[in-house]
């Protein structure tokens, strides 16, 4: 390791030259070399003056490390000023973290993150991460939250000074769909909607019948507002939903909220476009409460009816003006304006979707022929009806387009309505007997859309297609084929997901969420018990990996209620899944109750492996809640059962699970014997993950037993095994165990470095019941350093996390608390307000505070 490299909390500074290739061509080789040499001299002198250490240089790029954030910022300010307004323009990025220093230099996510921050800027611009911005004084400008390549969550970015630069080179902080067609007309309406939001309206609802252009107008309005919302602008398509309770779940999934939607949004400046809300309008009270809880949240809604909640502003979307409608028709049909086109658009009430459907027919019919044929249909359908005339017009237009289809296209058009949220070609072929030529024809006629490898319909058209499916008498048969297809997909994915083949399978399943919901909802509604339980049980690993524990529990509970007579092996699998989902919500008593029912079914089936898995879950749930004797009873039964049956893999799992009970009872020798036996069996049987975890917890046991040397050896071995598997989830846990050992040995500095680094790496991956330990130990670190306010804040958060997760104080916490009892009591007793502040934090706020804050922080 280089002895001159700063350690502990380090601020990285990356620089490079903007447009170096262009400069070389403009200046010529000799002049460019001179300018580059001067640029290097200025940067090196500026950084050295502030204690910066040059880590690396390549071409025109530098990498420096500083022991303090203010020093790094001062250096960046100095060389930026010295180089201005010269021909060489340097962009600089700063990020502060606690990197690991190996033999070859710095290692870890902080290095990667710092480089990503630097890459977002422009020449003459100094960019800072939130971690650095919190540590410096000076004139900083917030540039809002941005998404960086390979970084999961949006991050706050700051700039030195207030000079105007082009937008950062980041992934746009929005998921707004990119419409395939251009936006025509509606400039006045667009200005009115944006103006109302900019004037302070927080709930604007665009109303009008299907096909009036609400969605297209709303997307355009939201797009124009992206730069105004620091936390982003996001679209949530609600057309496939029929359960109002899933609206906030869908929003949470889109935003990546894991510990409560309102808590996740907090005070962030965010705009959500909720599209097609009318069929889940009962979600209005929940959305109103969300607005009340989140003061900087704005909702832009499209719906055929109002939410009718306080603060709502309605914007009825009018038909297109006549010139705009004619322009839309001519642009889509590639024809010149004419009297026939103008009359046709007028007959179609200038409804955008009706105009587009008519325009799609100009390959076979002239505008005059379309006008002649559709006029008769409109006159027929409008007579004597009380419905909205514009809705009648649109239905007549869709029906006219449908009637022009040949029989095979009519059949496929109706059948495709069975999909919620669209489908792949493979699904269309298997469920609907589709062929590519027929699908392509429907796309060309604007009745079906194609994007991102999926075929889908506008909701208004899908409603009509669904009506035709009912009239054709094919609805139940198609629902059955739809269900069977998605059950097969879930059953195929299930073992692959448990084997962690997530890169392949999660992207395949994510677009099918609406179809899975439709299949499950339909089967539960029909009280198809066995089918419902099968699908819910097979989908569980997808839900768990996507952290959708609430939705998983809801579907599994509903499926098990209608599937009481499902075959025992089918019901047992779903019960285990329901128990896991319930445990992830920290409802331990309910989880144990569900798992005990699963045990009884497994006993009836003679499913030893199933019994063992259930007993393992039950035992650990009891351990978490302080029932050490009950835990030992369940866990030891699992071991005895596995020994009796002679199944080595079941025995290895049972021994591993059972070892945690004697650990909590301070019987470290017994725990070690169990884990050593588990590790030996797992190694022989090729159970690579269990082998690695057994070695990891041998190290954990040694740590608590006070054998530091053995713990260090076994931790190194376990991390090596885990990294070979690519299992990043457990590596941060291993680092926390290293920090635990450092704390018990009194090495506070080493403990803090390990805790901060592993928390940054693992905050979104590790089991949530482990996160309170990181917060607890960082509170201890702060107390040991007499950082009273930080210690008290983190301790208040720790108390809340243990309470809300229903966790009892286990052996590792007992040892740490006893070791630092005096320091903790001193901090807590002298800063009661800080304790109260910590108790009010959500899990996400607590983690952000623990990682970034020297004081309060808003992220």
């Amino acid at each position: 390791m280089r002895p001159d490299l700063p350690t502990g909390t380090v601020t990285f500074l990356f620089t490079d030259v903007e447009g170096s290739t262009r400069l070389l061509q403009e200046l010529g080789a000799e002049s460019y070399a001179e300018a580059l040499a001067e640029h290097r001299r200025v940067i090196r002198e500026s950084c050295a003056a502030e204690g910066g250490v040059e880590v690396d240089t390549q071409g025109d790029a530098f990498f420096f490390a500083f022991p303090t954030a203010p020093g790094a910022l001062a250096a960046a300010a100095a060389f930026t000023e010295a180089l201005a307004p010269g021909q060489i323009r340097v962009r600089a990025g700063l990020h502060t973290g606690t990197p690991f220093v190996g033999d070859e230099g710095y290692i870890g996510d902080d290095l990667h993150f710092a480089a990503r921050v630097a890459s977002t800027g422009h020449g003459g611009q100094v960019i800072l991460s939130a971690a650095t911005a919190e540590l410096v004084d000076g004139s900083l400008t917030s540039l809002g939250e941005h998404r960086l390549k390979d970084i999961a969550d949006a991050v706050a970015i700051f700039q030195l000074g207030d000079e105007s630069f082009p937008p950062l080179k980041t992934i746009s902080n929005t998921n707004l769909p990119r419409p395939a067609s251009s936006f025509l007309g509606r400039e006045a309406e667009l200005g009115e909607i944006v103006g109302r939001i900019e004037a302070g309206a927080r709930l604007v609802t665009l109303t009008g019948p299907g096909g009036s252009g609400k969605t297209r107008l709303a997307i355009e309005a939201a797009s124009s507002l992206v730069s105004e919302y620091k936390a982003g602008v996001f679209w949530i398509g609600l057309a496939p939903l029929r359960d109002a309770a899933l609206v906030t779940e869908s929003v949470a999934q889109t935003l990546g909220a894991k510990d409560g939607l309102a808590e996740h949004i907090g005070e962030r400046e965010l705009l959500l476009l909720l599209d097609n809300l009318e069929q889940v309008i009962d979600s209005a009270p929940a959305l109103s409460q969300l607005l009340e809880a989140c003061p900087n949240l704005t909702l832009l809604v499209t719906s055929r009816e109002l939410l009718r909640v306080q603060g709502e502003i309605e914007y009825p979307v009018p038909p297109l003006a006549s010139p705009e409608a004619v322009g839309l028709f001519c642009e889509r049909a590639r024809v010149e304006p004419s009297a026939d086109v103008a009359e046709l658009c007028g007959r179609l009430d200038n409804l955008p979707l009706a105009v587009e459907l008519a325009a799609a027919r100009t390959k076979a019919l002239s505008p005059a022929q379309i006008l002649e044929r559709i006029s008769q249909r409109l006159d027929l359908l409008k007579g004597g009806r009380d419905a909205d005339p514009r809705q009648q017009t649109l239905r007549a237009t869709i029906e006219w387009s449908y009637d022009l289809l040949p029989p095979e296209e009519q059949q496929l058009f109706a059948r495709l309505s069975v999909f919620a949220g669209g489908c792949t070609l493979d699904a269309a072929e298997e469920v609907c007997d589709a062929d590519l030529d027929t699908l392509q024809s429907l796309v060309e006629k604007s009745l079906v859309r194609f994007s991102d490898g999926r075929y889908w319909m506008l909701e208004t058209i899908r409603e009509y297609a669904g009506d035709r499916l009912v009239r054709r008498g094919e609805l139940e048969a198609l629902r059955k084929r739809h269900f069977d297809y998605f059950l097969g997909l879930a059953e195929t994915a299930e073992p692959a997901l448990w084997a962690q083949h997530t890169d392949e399978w999660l992207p395949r399943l994510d677009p099918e969420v609406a179809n899975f919901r439709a299949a499950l909802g339909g089967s539960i509604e029909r009280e198809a018990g066995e089918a419902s339980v099968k699908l819910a049980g097979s989908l569980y690993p997808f839900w768990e990996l996507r952290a959708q524990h609430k939705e998983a529990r809801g579907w599994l509970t509903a499926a098990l209620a209608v599937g009481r007579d499902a075959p025992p092996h089918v019901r047992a699998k779903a019960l285990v899944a329901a128990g896991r989902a319930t445990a992830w919500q920290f409802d331990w008593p309910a989880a144990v109750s569900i798992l005990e029912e699963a045990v009884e079914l497994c006993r009836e089936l003679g499913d030893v492996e199933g019994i063992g898995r259930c007993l393992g879950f039950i035992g650990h749930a009891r351990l978490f809640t302080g029932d050490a004797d009950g835990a030992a009873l369940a866990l030891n039964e699992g071991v005895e059962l596995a020994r009796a049956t002679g199944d080595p893999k079941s025995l290895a799992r049972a021994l591993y699970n059972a070892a945690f009970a004697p650990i909590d009872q301070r019987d470290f020798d017994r725990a070690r014997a169990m884990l050593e036996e588990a590790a030996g069996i797992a190694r022989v049987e090729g159970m690579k993950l269990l082998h690695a975890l057994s070695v990891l917890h041998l190290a954990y046991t040694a740590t608590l037993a006070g054998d530091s040397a053995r713990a260090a050896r076994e931790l190194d071995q376990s991390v090596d095994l885990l990294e070979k598997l690519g299992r990043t989830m457990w590596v941060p846990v291993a680092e926390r165990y290293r920090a635990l050992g450092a704390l018990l040995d009194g090495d506070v500095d080493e403990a803090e470095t390990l805790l901060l680094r592993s928390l940054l790496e693992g905050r979104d991956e590790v089991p949530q019941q482990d996160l309170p330990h990181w917060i607890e130990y960082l509170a201890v670190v702060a107390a040991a350093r007499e950082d009273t306010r930080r210690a008290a804040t983190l301790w208040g958060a720790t108390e809340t996390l243990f309470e809300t997760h229903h966790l009892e104080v286990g052996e590792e916490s007992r040892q740490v608390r006893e070791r630092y009892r005096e320091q903790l009591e001193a901090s807590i007793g002298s800063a009661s307000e800080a304790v109260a502040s910590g108790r009010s934090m959500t899990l996400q706020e607590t983690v952000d505070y623990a990682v970034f804050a020297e004081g309060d922080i808003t992220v």
Side-chain angles (χ1 to χ4, degrees):
M1 184 182 86
R2 282 178 50 179
D4 58 335
L5 293 180
T7 59
T9 300
V10 178
T11 297
F12 291 139
L13 169 63
F14 282 85
T15 77
D16 68 355
V17 174
E18 182 178 56
S20 54
T21 302
R22 175 183 53 78
L23 275 173
L24 175 59
Q25 294 171 346
E26 290 178 358
L27 299 176
E30 185 175 349
S31 295
Y32 178 73
E34 292 175 359
L36 193 61
E38 175 63 11
H39 135 270
R40 288 173 176 158
R41 182 192 66 78
V42 169
I43 288 181
R44 282 179 168 138
E45 288 182 359
S46 299
C47 291
E50 298 293 341
V53 176
E54 185 175 329
V55 182
D56 193 16
T57 181
Q58 294 182 7
D60 58 25
F62 279 106
F63 169 25
F64 283 86
F66 289 79
T68 69
L73 183 60
F79 66 64
T80 300
E81 182 178 357
L83 292 170
Q87 293 170 306
I88 288 200
R89 292 176 57 78
V90 173
R91 60 179 177 177
L94 292 83
H95 171 63
T96 303
T98 54
F100 175 74
V101 186
D103 292 338
E104 297 182 3
Y106 293 111
I107 301 171
D109 287 348
D110 285 316
L111 195 67
H112 170 73
F113 189 84
R116 289 292 184 216
V117 169
S119 70
T120 68
H122 301 272
Q125 189 175 26
V126 178
I127 299 297
L128 299 82
S129 71
T132 303
E134 284 293 320
L135 300 176
V136 299
D137 295 321
S139 175
L140 301 184
T141 300
S142 171
L143 301 180
E145 291 188 349
H146 293 261
R147 294 182 182 271
L148 307 182
K149 184 179 179 182
D150 301 327
I151 305 298
D153 295 325
V155 298
I157 299 289
F158 296 81
Q159 170 193 302
L160 176 63
D162 57 4
E163 182 179 348
S164 179
F165 290 92
L168 293 179
K169 301 170 184 177
T170 59
I171 300 171
S172 181
N173 198 16
T174 179
N175 70 338
L176 288 173
R178 296 182 179 179
S181 56
S182 57
F183 182 72
L184 298 175
R186 302 285 204 194
E187 283 77 11
E189 293 93 330
L190 178 62
E192 291 174 1
I193 295 167
V194 171
R196 292 183 186 189
I197 292 174
E198 289 179 337
R202 296 184 56 222
L203 172 57
V204 177
T205 303
L206 277 57
T207 59
S212 58
K214 300 185 298 295
T215 294
R216 187 68 179 85
L217 180 56
I219 289 174
E220 200 68 20
S223 297
S224 67
L225 289 164
V226 169
S227 62
E228 303 299 319
Y229 286 86
K230 293 180 180 179
V233 174
F234 294 91
W235 171 85
I236 298 94
L238 303 174
L241 296 187
R242 292 299 180 268
D243 182 355
L246 290 175
V247 171
T248 52
E249 285 291 299
S250 297
V251 175
Q253 289 175 29
T254 300
L255 299 181
K258 295 182 179 179
D259 62 334
L261 181 57
E263 292 81 1
H264 178 86
I265 296 173
E267 296 187 0
R268 290 175 169 174
E269 297 176 19
L270 188 71
L271 185 145
L272 301 178
L273 168 49
L274 305 179
D275 195 19
N276 288 302
L277 188 71
E278 58 272 354
Q279 74 281 350
V280 281
I281 201 70
D282 289 344
S283 64
L287 294 174
S288 180
Q289 292 170 10
L290 188 64
L291 275 172
E292 185 176 350
C294 305
N296 297 316
L297 172 65
T298 300
L299 298 182
L300 179 59
V301 176
T302 72
S303 177
R304 296 183 198 176
E305 61 176 295
L306 290 170
L307 279 69
R308 304 192 187 283
V309 298
Q310 187 175 5
E312 182 179 28
I313 293 178
E314 180 182 13
Y315 186 87
V317 176
L320 289 169
S322 181
E324 293 173 345
V326 170
L328 175 63
F329 184 96
C330 293
E331 196 270 344
R332 300 294 190 259
R334 299 180 183 275
V335 300
E336 294 298 318
S338 67
D340 287 333
V341 171
E343 184 177 351
L344 174 58
C345 292
R347 294 287 286 158
L348 295 173
D349 292 332
N350 294 329
L351 284 169
L353 179 55
V355 169
E356 290 203 40
L357 289 173
R361 284 293 175 179
T362 53
K363 291 182 179 180
L365 300 169
S366 69
Q369 290 173 317
I370 296 172
L371 175 61
E372 179 183 353
R373 285 161 173 75
I374 206 168
S375 293
Q376 298 170 1
R377 178 62 54 84
L378 289 169
D379 291 339
L380 174 66
L381 289 182
K382 283 187 176 179
R385 293 200 177 179
D386 296 329
D388 184 339
R390 292 164 65 194
Q391 193 66 51
Q392 293 177 25
T393 297
L394 182 59
R395 181 175 178 82
T397 309
I398 298 172
E399 189 158 76
W400 172 77
S401 297
Y402 172 82
D403 287 343
L404 290 176
L405 299 175
E408 66 274 12
E409 290 184 15
Q410 288 184 342
Q411 181 185 60
L412 180 56
F413 171 71
R415 288 180 172 183
L416 288 171
S417 68
V418 78
F419 292 105
C423 65
T424 61
L425 176 60
D426 177 71
E429 289 173 336
E430 187 162 335
V431 176
C432 303
D433 296 324
D435 68 85
L436 186 56
D437 289 341
T438 307
L439 266 173
Q440 182 62 33
S441 181
L442 290 173
V443 171
E444 290 174 353
K445 292 163 184 170
S446 294
L447 289 168
V448 173
R449 307 289 171 111
F450 178 76
S451 60
D452 299 325
R454 297 178 67 79
Y455 296 89
W456 54 280
M457 294 176 173
L458 294 172
E459 188 62 16
T460 302
I461 292 178
R462 181 173 174 248
E463 286 178 4
Y464 179 85
D467 180 61
R468 303 312 302 185
L469 188 64
V470 172
R471 294 190 185 190
R472 296 175 68 92
E474 292 189 283
L475 177 62
E476 291 308 315
L478 263 292
R479 278 184 171 178
K480 177 67 166 58
R481 295 179 70 171
H482 176 273
F483 180 90
D484 290 345
Y485 177 84
F486 286 101
L487 173 61
L489 182 63
E491 289 180 331
T492 302
E494 181 186 7
L497 289 175
W498 284 131
Q500 299 297 303
H501 298 158
T502 53
D503 290 346
E504 174 188 358
W505 278 99
L506 289 179
R508 290 182 62 179
L509 299 184
D510 283 336
E512 307 296 357
V513 167
N515 279 310
F516 284 129
R517 287 170 173 168
L520 259 177
S523 65
I524 290 170
E525 182 182 333
R526 297 190 300 275
E527 297 188 352
E530 180 178 351
S532 301
V533 175
K534 273 186 178 180
L535 180 53
S538 297
L539 272 176
Y540 180 70
F542 170 70
W543 283 319
E544 182 172 295
L545 286 165
R546 282 297 185 220
Q548 299 305 320
H549 311 301
K550 181 180 179 181
E551 181 170 356
R553 184 180 181 182
W555 283 120
L556 285 159
T557 300
L560 287 164
V562 299
R564 293 184 180 87
D565 297 327
H569 70 283
V570 173
R571 188 171 172 84
K573 183 171 81 170
L575 282 167
V576 174
R580 288 178 72 128
T582 305
W584 273 106
Q585 291 190 289
F586 312 109
D587 188 351
W588 305 110
V592 169
S593 176
I594 294 167
L595 290 165
E596 285 174 340
E597 183 182 349
V599 167
E600 294 308 311
L601 282 177
C602 289
R603 292 189 198 281
E604 293 175 16
L605 293 165
D607 180 2
V608 175
E609 182 181 355
I611 296 171
R613 288 184 185 276
C614 291
L615 290 173
F617 295 143
I618 290 169
H620 283 216
R622 289 174 176 169
L623 272 180
F624 289 139
T625 53
D627 182 6
D629 293 339
L633 189 66
L635 295 169
N636 291 336
E637 182 186 349
V639 173
E640 293 167 5
L641 186 62
R643 287 197 191 281
T645 58
D647 176 12
K649 291 185 177 180
S650 292
L651 178 58
R653 278 191 290 266
L655 285 164
Y656 170 77
N657 285 327
F660 288 87
I663 288 174
D664 202 58
Q665 296 163 336
R666 296 194 175 184
D667 189 349
F668 301 122
D669 289 340
R670 184 161 181 261
R672 171 164 288 279
M674 288 180 166
L675 288 167
E676 286 176 342
E677 186 178 359
I681 297 171
R683 183 177 60 252
V684 171
E685 294 294 325
M687 303 168 75
K688 294 182 179 179
L689 178 59
L690 186 63
H691 178 214
L693 291 178
S694 297
V695 175
L696 173 61
H697 287 93
L698 280 167
Y700 176 69
T701 304
T703 298
L704 294 175
D707 191 342
S708 301
R710 172 179 271 185
R713 291 195 305 271
E714 289 171 339
L715 276 169
D716 289 342
Q717 182 187 353
S718 67
V719 169
D720 182 58
L721 291 169
L722 289 165
E723 288 180 340
K724 286 178 180 177
L725 288 172
R727 312 267 182 168
T728 58
M729 168 180 168
W730 287 103
V731 173
V733 174
E735 293 296 279
R736 179 170 70 79
Y737 291 166
R738 286 192 200 275
L740 170 64
L743 275 179
L744 295 177
D745 288 341
D747 190 344
V748 173
D749 291 342
E750 175 70 3
E752 181 180 45
T753 299
L754 291 166
L755 288 166
L756 289 173
R757 182 176 66 217
S758 59
L759 183 56
L760 270 170
E761 292 173 353
R763 59 186 295 178
D764 294 323
E765 297 171 347
V766 301
Q768 284 205 333
Q769 62 263 27
D770 278 16
L771 286 173
H773 293 298
W774 265 277
I775 307 305
E776 176 185 22
Y777 299 161
L778 284 168
V780 167
V781 167
R785 288 185 166 164
E786 299 183 355
D787 187 346
T788 300
R789 187 170 184 277
R790 178 172 168 82
T793 303
L794 289 171
W795 191 256
T798 298
E799 291 179 330
T800 294
L801 290 174
F802 271 77
E803 290 169 6
T804 57
H805 289 57
H806 305 290
L807 300 174
E808 289 295 319
V809 177
E811 175 60 16
E812 63 173 291
S813 291
R814 285 194 292 267
Q815 290 198 24
V816 171
R817 294 181 186 197
E818 179 59 29
R819 173 74 169 75
Y820 292 91
R821 180 175 57 80
E822 292 182 5
Q823 295 94 321
L824 280 169
E825 288 178 352
S827 294
I828 297 166
S830 61
S832 58
E833 290 185 7
V835 172
S837 175
R839 289 188 67 88
S840 69
M841 289 180 176
T842 65
L843 177 58
Q844 178 172 313
E845 290 168 344
T846 299
V847 172
D848 288 337
Y849 178 91
V851 170
F852 296 119
E854 296 299 320
D856 288 327
I857 184 170
T858 299
V859 177

